[in-house]
Amino acid sequence: MAFIKKIIGLGVVLAVAGGAYFMYWSQNPIIPETAEAIDFTIVPGSGAHAAGQQIAEAGVPIEPLLFNLLARVTNKSSRLKAGSYELKPGSTPMRLIEQLARGEFAQEQLTIIEGWNFRQMRAAIAAHKGLKHDTVALSDQEVLKAIGSDYKQAEGLFFPDTYLFAKGSSDLQIYKQAHVMMLSRLNDAWAKRDPALPYKSPYEALTMASIVEKETGQKSERSMIAGVFVNRLRLGMLLQTDPTVIYGMGLKYDGKIRKKDLETDTPYNTYTRAGLPPTPIALPGVQSLTAALSPAKTAALYFVSRGNGTSQFSDNLNDHNRAVNQYQR
């Protein structure tokens, strides 16, 4: 009897010691604060035991049996979500279980730059290693169709911003987010517009915004630039803006625009064709959208670069010519 009591006592001691170790293990960092984060993926259909094995096989120093036990005692074994994750330095087993139960996937980000054209946007998305590339073989029109857009031309229809997404997400998610955001921003600005503006549709306003975006990097001048172009539209004058000519040249543009380029007719040459070009020429930001739909009230019809990033505005051709002579020759 004494022997049995000793065995029972030893078992109790071992159980208490084991429980204490388990609690200690669950609350202490898996990797130290000074270590690098470790990426891992849980495949769909994985239970707690399989998830623990996948985590360990990815290089996370964790015992799958203890991970499985922790998931069960916390009642989270059936709530672990498949996906790509990142184990951050200092994370504990308990924090890891919570991360998987909440589906806190590894976050990636991609920045779309104001003034990029759609070709540049597609190249940046295609080069991002954190995305699943479902659109590489699709045409621009097929991308629009895949995200449920009714538009036929993609240029200008995506809002430049920084987008966060779970690692391994489809690149279609970025296109859809950026498209929805652009339409939202455009419609908001359109609803606040002056009805007297010479735009027949929000799309025409978007086209103007893209021109403003490419004409100046000075945020303070965008409303004045828009005001000049609106004045020209109202008077039936040619817009005569170089960025549209450059866009029409496509890959032929080598960084310089020549007299023959200004004289070569394309649908985007605003030196040879009146009115707005048929589509936007870039991805405008919110300030250019605002400028296009709330342009400065000005009599200016011309502007020329001063060579320092700002522009000289003129109300008549004589003043404009003097400004050209002063700043460009």
Side-chain angles (χ1 to χ4, degrees):
M1 179 65 75
F3 177 75
I4 295 176
K5 288 182 178 180
K6 288 182 179 181
I7 293 296
I8 293 174
L10 179 61
V12 170
V13 170
L14 291 175
V16 170
Y21 171 77
F22 182 71
M23 290 301 297
Y24 173 84
W25 169 82
S26 69
Q27 299 292 340
N28 277 268
I30 301 170
I31 55 176
E33 294 283 356
T34 56
E36 294 186 359
I38 302 175
D39 293 332
F40 64 91
T41 300
I42 305 300
V43 302
S46 299
H49 180 68
Q53 289 182 318
Q54 291 161 28
I55 294 170
E57 289 169 1
V60 176
I62 194 169
E63 171 53 54
L65 289 176
L66 290 178
F67 175 86
N68 183 24
L69 178 59
L70 183 60
R72 292 181 181 281
V73 298
T74 56
N75 294 318
K76 291 183 171 66
S77 60
S78 62
R79 294 163 54 189
L80 307 184
K81 297 176 176 61
S84 296
Y85 294 88
E86 180 183 70
L87 179 75
K88 294 183 179 180
S91 291
T92 66
M94 185 68 77
R95 176 70 188 93
L96 176 60
I97 291 289
E98 292 174 355
Q99 182 181 358
L100 269 62
R102 293 176 181 173
E104 297 174 6
F105 305 117
Q107 288 286 298
E108 296 277 349
Q109 69 177 38
L110 172 66
T111 300
I112 307 300
I113 305 297
E114 293 179 357
W116 273 0
N117 58 37
F118 189 58
R119 182 178 68 251
Q120 291 170 304
M121 177 181 174
R122 291 204 67 174
I125 290 175
H128 199 293
K129 295 180 180 179
L131 286 166
K132 179 184 177 186
H133 299 289
D134 293 324
T135 66
V136 174
L138 301 184
S139 67
D140 291 354
Q141 290 73 27
E142 288 171 333
V143 170
L144 288 173
K145 185 177 180 180
I147 62 174
S149 175
D150 294 328
Y151 286 91
K152 303 303 179 185
Q153 299 295 325
E155 192 63 78
L157 290 171
F158 300 84
F159 190 71
D161 202 353
T162 296
Y163 294 93
L164 300 177
F165 55 91
K167 188 174 183 179
S169 296
S170 170
D171 55 4
L172 280 168
Q173 176 181 322
I174 304 299
Y175 287 112
K176 188 163 188 176
Q177 272 187 276
H179 183 54
V180 169
M181 180 64 74
M182 178 57 83
L183 294 185
S184 175
R185 297 278 190 169
L186 176 60
N187 290 333
D188 284 347
W190 180 258
K192 300 172 185 175
R193 78 190 186 285
D194 179 351
L197 288 171
Y199 307 132
K200 298 177 183 177
S201 67
Y203 190 73
E204 286 193 353
L206 179 65
T207 300
M208 176 64 82
S210 73
I211 296 173
V212 172
E213 185 70 54
K214 296 299 291 183
E215 271 288 3
T216 181
Q218 288 291 329
K219 297 176 182 179
S220 61
E221 289 191 348
R222 290 179 184 178
S223 63
M224 276 294 292
I225 298 285
V228 168
F229 288 137
V230 164
N231 288 344
R232 284 179 163 247
L233 283 178
R234 283 174 171 154
L235 294 173
M237 294 176 63
L238 295 174
L239 294 183
Q240 294 184 323
T241 169
D242 291 359
T244 63
V245 177
I246 292 169
Y247 185 84
M249 293 170 66
L251 297 177
K252 294 179 182 178
Y253 179 62
D254 61 2
K256 295 181 180 179
I257 187 167
R258 303 168 177 82
K259 183 179 180 180
K260 68 175 183 178
D261 299 321
L262 301 179
E263 295 173 345
T264 301
D265 184 55
T266 75
Y268 292 88
N269 191 336
T270 52
Y271 285 82
T272 62
R273 300 197 183 194
L276 291 163
T279 72
I281 61 170
L283 310 178
V286 67
Q287 290 167 330
S288 292
L289 287 170
T290 300
L293 285 157
S294 300
K297 296 185 183 303
T298 176
L301 291 170
Y302 306 92
F303 62 90
V304 63
S305 172
R306 294 192 181 105
N308 63 358
T310 65
S311 302
Q312 178 67 39
F313 295 88
S314 304
D315 297 353
N316 59 72
L317 186 57
N318 287 336
D319 288 348
H320 175 63
N321 287 336
R322 280 194 288 271
V324 171
N325 287 329
Q326 179 179 354
Y327 296 110
Q328 297 289 309
R329 294 175 183 169

